[in-house]
Amino acid sequence: MTIPDIIIAIDGYSSTGKSTFAKLVASEFGFLYLDSGAMYRGVTLAGLEAGVIADGKIDEEALLPVMAPLELHFQREDGATKLFLGERCIEKEIRGWEVSQYVSPVSAIPQVRAWVDDKLHKFSEGGRVIMDGRDIGTTVFPNAELKIFMTADPAVRAQRRYDELLLKGEKTTLEEVEANLKDRDYRDSHRPTSPLRQAPDAFVLDNTHMNLHEELVWMLGLLQGKFGLLESPGLSC
Ligand code: DC
């Protein structure tokens, strides 16, 4: 039995390792990986560069015409899917501290959400896609054949994010990261448009005490339960 060309939706809190998990599942089982948060980050970066996001303020009216012509797209490079703005790879810039500060309010703007959803639908036209975000299984692809909701203890998530930022050479403190995470959790789950929610038909993956290999074994069990024994389920990690 092989896995059919389904859409797999992965939602959950920030810093639960959704994208790392989704990328790994994509490469293990031959899916195209799409990172919806990266799209919101791309719009935020463009807003910062255009000066319509500055000094703690987002000029929503001015952001929309900046966003409309943006050529944001994913491209495979060095074995990974990366976000490009036209010809320029912006994968590194969109992960920085400044973008992270503004991305949550930017992603709460309904017109921004509609624009990103439209792009995600276009990118997924061929099927066999795995996507991660905050509303993929509830709003963007409510009919996705497989939905996963990721969660983990907030202190563990903050430590993971802090370690990630340190590795990138960003100057911040664990307290700052914890506050930013708490703020994002609250905003993501309380915004009026597409709040972060667990879809009723989603499988919960709490990875507080799990490593990537254990997550992958969990996923294999889920896929086998759904589609029967898979051909060559040998896992690489
Ligand atoms: O997963 P991430 O941290 O890269 O996401 C960045 C922001 O975008 C985060 O504040 C939540 C938001 N987001 C969203 O609202 N909907 C999605 N489908 C994905 C991300």
Side-chain angles (χ1 to χ4, degrees), residues 36-37 40-41 103-104 107 113 133-135 184 188 191:
S36 66
Y40 292 107
R41 288 174 179 273
V103 66
S104 188
S107 73
R113 300 204 72 79
R134 305 291 189 288
D135 62 341
R184 278 215 277 167
D188 289 348
R191 65 188 177 204

